[in-house]
Amino acid sequence: MKKKLFSFYVIAVIAMIIAACGNNKVQPVSINESTDTCETCNMAVADNQYATQILLKNGKSLIFDDIGCMYEWINTHKDEEIEAKFVRDYNNKKWILSDDATYVYNQSINTPMAYNIISFQEKASAEKFVAKNEGSKLLTASDLADHSWKQNHDMLKKHGEEGHSNSEGTEKDGHSHSEQDHNSSH
Amino acid sequence: MKVMKTLNYIIFLLLLFCVPAAAEAASSLQAKIDAAPNGSKIEIEEGKYEEKIVISKPLFLVGTGKVTLYSCDGGPVITISGKTVRLKNIEVEHCGNEKEDAAIYVTGSNHTLEELEIKTNRFGIRLNQADGVTIRNSKIVGSNTGNGIDLWQSNRSHIEKLMISNMTDGIYLEQSNRNSLKRNNIQHSRYGIHLMFSNGNVLEKNVSRDNTTGAMVMGSKQNVVSNNKFLFNHNNVNAQGLLIYTASYNEIKGNDIISNRVGVYAERSENNRIESNKIMNNFIGIQFKKANKNEATQNTFIGNVNDAHAIESPHNQINENYWDASSKVDMNGDGKSEISFAADPYFQTLTNDVPEYQLFFHAPGLIVIQNLLKSPVDQLLTDTAPLMDMTSEMEKEVSSNSSFWIMSACMIASSFILYLLGRRRG
């Protein structure tokens, strides 16, 4: 009898665990580089650290190539019901809930649509990036709501108009366009 | 024993002299470059050189015969900086795997790169804050993991007569102005030509075919896209001939946009002029989304499954285009139809929310519903005065299409044969 009761408990616990798993939070979808395009800008989305996504309450998933495109969408679709927003860790590309992430803004980070913001799972690794890269600004998820989302080319244009700088002189000076830039453009 | 000792000694001597000699031969190209005075010409002898070279002063390097430079290490095979460096008749093979790497990396100004053949694992030629660089008569083949030509803040370049295939983007411009891209041929890449935040560039007589998108103009102004051919960009679900996004004051003129999924797609773009293009045999001829204040005139739309789709784009100046599918009535003989042509947004709006509804494309029921729920006229993309006939120039081009004549001849011949056979049996 006791044995029967015990096995009943075991089964109940297992059932509960399984049920709990079934009720798991929404999962981000993976990116298919050949068919996924950014909901905002139509560009093909590379499976890289800049990609973000929104899952809607109606089950639809929206992929973005740049966090700036995601906020552009959020700001122009205020009545859509969002289930979850995901961004990726800059170092290991792991999907993280956008509210849990820490962000870094730096004009010389070259993101696909030039919004220059990257995301980190751990605040410590974001701080490490800030310490390493001059001109970085640490942002929290709530800071993003007030961020101006200005694309970097606008600022550059101003520079160009003022001083007509074509091969040198912009602040940007290609810090992260590639490793190469460090070596040869300075 | 003594013999062994001498042998060892000889081997030791051989190693001592031969190995450094071989190493010196390998680095001889760079040594020659370093030793050459400014402005001199270096003729590279035929052969295969495993070497990375750096040129930072005015020099003319020319290959005599088949000269191949290759390297599988990280970093570019050729690095160019300074002024007026000239490369001619050289094959470059880049087999490194480092991300963002390139076969040739260029900074500085007024360089000329011609008659090159580049095979690359990443980028072909990268221009970083370079000015007035000419790249012409060359071939670039990649493995779809980098751009063929990549310009970053680089102005006044001339990129001409290049054959580019299997790249991410054939020619990519970001924050680069007043460049001219002429007579290039780009195939089997993601985007043929891709402009990002780049102004005042000229794209002329290029052919971009079998790519995901023929050309993409994003966040860019005052570019001229004329007499190009955007063909067969239809293999991807998101394919199109030409895509314009948040771009303004661009001129799209005299292009052949044929057999793409969507011919011209414009979104959130203003003040662009789309004129005298031949938009033929596409699934959708022209598609607008939240694009207003643009002008489209004198274009010819033939054989598209659907001539036009538009959402939230009622404020464009669209007139005097030829739409082969529209009903036309000319009352006053001015060559323009009195019935305006309108693109109904119904189907597009429907499929935007639920893509699966695309299955109902041209389904009779859907057309009935579409007609019942007609969108208000002031919300439609409308050609107020469609042309009755194609412009004479266009007519000549369309009717001189040789495959059309061959096809008709074959059909006439086959029906004649069938007729004869039928008669004989009877």
Side-chain angles (χ1 to χ4, degrees):
Chain A
M1 194 59 203
K2 235 178 185 177
K3 212 174 180 183
K4 233 179 187 176
L5 203 69
F6 178 72
S7 57
F8 171 75
Y9 279 135
V10 169
I11 288 167
V13 167
I14 289 172
M16 273 158 128
I17 290 169
I18 290 170
C21 285
N23 273 339
N24 210 347
K25 277 181 248 157
V26 276
Q27 289 295 326
V29 297
S30 56
I31 285 173
N32 182 345
E33 290 193 335
S34 61
T35 54
D36 282 338
T37 53
C38 175
E39 193 66 23
T40 300
C41 77
N42 299 304
M43 273 216 296
V45 181
D47 191 10
N48 60 20
Q49 63 271 39
Y50 307 117
T52 69
Q53 64 176 292
I54 289 178
L55 294 176
L56 295 178
K57 287 231 161 79
N58 64 15
K60 205 173 163 184
S61 69
L62 310 171
I63 310 280
F64 303 88
D65 62 351
D66 191 308
I67 185 170
C69 283
M70 179 163 88
Y71 272 84
E72 172 94 45
W73 189 91
I74 293 168
N75 291 332
T76 49
H77 294 78
K78 293 235 156 94
D79 21 331
E80 296 272 359
E81 288 181 84
I82 294 169
E83 178 80 45
K85 301 192 291 273
F86 291 96
V87 295
R88 291 178 106 170
D89 182 72
Y90 185 73
N91 296 320
N92 62 21
K93 299 202 282 182
K94 196 179 153 200
W95 288 105
I96 30 178
L97 281 166
S98 73
D99 292 339
D100 300 343
T102 308
Y103 301 87
V104 174
Y105 172 73
N106 184 327
Q107 266 197 49
S108 52
I109 306 166
N110 216 319
T111 66
M113 287 300 281
Y115 288 103
N116 317 102
I117 289 188
I118 51 173
S119 39
F120 293 88
Q121 182 175 23
E122 306 293 340
K123 196 177 175 197
S125 40
E127 280 165 347
K128 210 167 140 193
F129 185 95
V130 170
K132 252 191 192 169
N133 295 277
E134 220 180 292
S136 301
K137 198 177 144 199
L138 203 74
L139 299 167
T140 62
S142 53
D143 289 339
L144 291 185
D146 309 322
H147 185 70
S148 68
W149 297 110
K150 203 152 176 63
Q151 282 163 303
N152 198 9
H153 63 104
D154 294 339
M155 297 169 204
L156 272 162
K157 203 172 64 192
K158 267 183 215 149
H159 281 280
E161 278 162 6
E162 281 160 17
H164 189 74
S165 46
N166 48 44
S167 60
E168 56 188 334
T170 56
E171 252 174 67
K172 199 160 167 147
D173 230 7
H175 291 293
S176 72
H177 191 46
S178 74
E179 280 303 303
Q180 275 300 317
D181 301 358
H182 283 284
N183 308 332
S184 40
S185 72
H186 289 267
Chain B
M1 197 61 197
K2 210 174 182 184
V3 179
M4 271 300 269
K5 227 176 184 176
T6 352
L7 234 150
N8 274 346
Y9 185 63
I10 290 168
I11 289 170
F12 173 73
L13 273 182
L14 271 174
L15 280 174
L16 199 72
F17 288 106
C18 295
V19 171
E24 200 180 69
S27 70
S28 66
L29 222 49
Q30 185 63 52
K32 268 186 196 169
I33 290 165
D34 293 341
N38 281 3
S40 61
K41 178 177 172 183
I42 299 175
E43 289 190 4
I44 309 172
E45 281 171 40
E46 181 156 349
K48 209 164 176 182
Y49 301 82
E50 184 178 0
E51 195 178 342
K52 293 194 291 187
I53 58 172
V54 178
I55 313 165
S56 52
K57 58 187 173 191
L59 279 183
F60 178 21
L61 262 75
V62 58
T64 52
K66 190 177 157 77
V67 171
T68 310
L69 254 74
Y70 75 100
S71 166
C72 295
D73 300 344
V77 184
I78 303 177
T79 307
I80 298 171
S81 60
K83 283 180 182 169
T84 56
V85 172
R86 195 168 159 206
L87 297 184
K88 194 177 175 181
N89 190 33
I90 297 172
E91 287 185 26
V92 183
E93 275 181 43
H94 169 270
C95 39
N97 273 319
E98 236 169 81
K99 228 182 160 189
E100 308 269 302
D101 215 348
I104 302 180
Y105 185 83
V106 183
T107 57
S109 63
N110 301 324
H111 309 301
T112 307
L113 285 70
E114 56 193 335
E115 291 166 42
L116 306 178
E117 255 194 77
I118 299 170
K119 255 190 223 158
T120 179
N121 237 356
R122 290 289 180 261
F123 288 65
I125 303 176
R126 276 190 103 144
L127 270 61
N128 180 17
Q129 299 184 330
D131 190 61
V133 175
T134 302
I135 306 170
R136 62 181 169 227
N137 299 328
S138 298
K139 198 174 159 185
I140 302 171
V141 181
S143 37
N144 294 93
T145 42
N147 301 328
I149 306 278
D150 184 286
L151 271 67
W152 167 257
Q153 295 178 354
S154 295
N155 307 324
R156 291 179 284 269
S157 322
H158 296 273
I159 299 166
E160 291 168 18
K161 296 186 191 162
L162 304 184
M163 291 282 297
I164 300 174
S165 63
N166 297 86
M167 304 305 306
T168 303
D169 296 350
I171 302 174
Y172 178 83
L173 274 67
E174 186 166 348
Q175 298 178 22
S176 296
N177 307 326
R178 299 186 295 286
N179 299 286
S180 97
L181 282 58
K182 292 182 181 172
R183 295 177 191 274
N184 301 292
N185 186 312
I186 303 142
Q187 298 185 15
H188 304 292
S189 299
R190 187 183 71 167
Y191 306 146
I193 300 171
H194 189 176
L195 268 56
M196 290 275 274
F197 319 122
S198 295
N199 309 327
N201 300 290
V202 176
L203 282 63
E204 201 181 282
K205 296 186 179 160
N206 301 289
V207 178
S208 177
R209 61 183 295 164
D210 297 301
N211 304 303
T212 299
T213 295
M216 230 174 188
V217 180
M218 302 178 72
S220 301
K221 291 174 189 163
Q222 288 152 340
N223 299 289
V224 177
V225 181
S226 70
N227 300 306
N228 301 284
K229 289 184 200 296
F230 302 126
L231 318 170
F232 302 103
N233 301 296
H234 59 192
N235 283 332
N236 190 283
V237 284
N238 306 304
Q240 53 255 313
L242 173 67
L243 184 139
I244 309 166
Y245 176 79
T246 57
S248 53
Y249 298 101
N250 297 291
E251 204 176 308
I252 320 290
K253 200 172 169 184
N255 301 288
D256 285 2
I257 302 172
I258 301 174
S259 298
N260 305 288
R261 191 185 70 94
V262 178
V264 178
Y265 180 90
E267 184 175 336
R268 293 169 61 192
S269 294
E270 290 184 345
N271 299 305
N272 299 291
R273 191 175 162 83
I274 304 170
E275 189 187 329
S276 305
N277 299 288
K278 182 160 78 182
I279 301 173
M280 217 165 102
N281 300 350
N282 303 289
F283 178 62
I284 297 167
I286 191 165
Q287 190 168 356
F288 275 38
K289 188 176 174 186
K290 296 182 185 166
N292 288 297
K293 294 194 218 160
N294 300 290
E295 205 180 326
T297 182
Q298 301 286 329
N299 299 292
T300 301
F301 292 83
I302 303 172
N304 301 299
V305 177
N306 219 311
D307 275 334
H309 270 177
I311 294 183
E312 294 176 51
S313 309
H315 305 297
N316 293 288
Q317 232 188 77
I318 294 178
N319 48 48
E320 297 181 29
N321 299 286
Y322 176 78
W323 313 84
D324 70 341
S326 73
S327 358
K328 308 172 192 76
V329 174
D330 186 5
M331 305 267 276
N332 51 12
D334 62 353
K336 293 168 204 159
S337 172
E338 262 58 64
I339 304 172
S340 57
F341 172 82
D344 201 293
Y346 184 74
F347 184 71
Q348 206 186 346
T349 316
L350 206 66
T351 53
N352 227 23
D353 290 337
V354 188
E356 288 82 357
Y357 284 165
Q358 286 178 59
L359 285 170
F360 298 118
F361 181 73
H362 269 201
L366 202 73
I367 292 169
V368 171
I369 297 172
Q370 186 173 321
N371 284 325
L372 283 174
L373 305 172
K374 251 197 179 338
S375 318
V377 179
D378 59 339
Q379 282 178 27
L380 302 181
L381 175 103
T382 311
D383 188 334
T384 45
L387 293 183
M388 291 300 292
D389 295 300
M390 293 176 235
T391 52
S392 54
E393 248 170 72
M394 203 59 81
E395 202 157 12
K396 228 183 272 169
E397 266 182 58
V398 172
S399 58
S400 68
N401 195 338
S402 57
S403 61
F404 170 77
W405 285 111
I406 293 169
M407 184 105 95
S408 337
C410 285
M411 280 175 126
I412 290 168
S414 60
S415 56
F416 191 65
I417 290 166
L418 282 173
Y419 173 71
L420 282 181
L421 283 174
R423 261 181 72 128
R424 226 170 266 170
R425 273 197 201 148

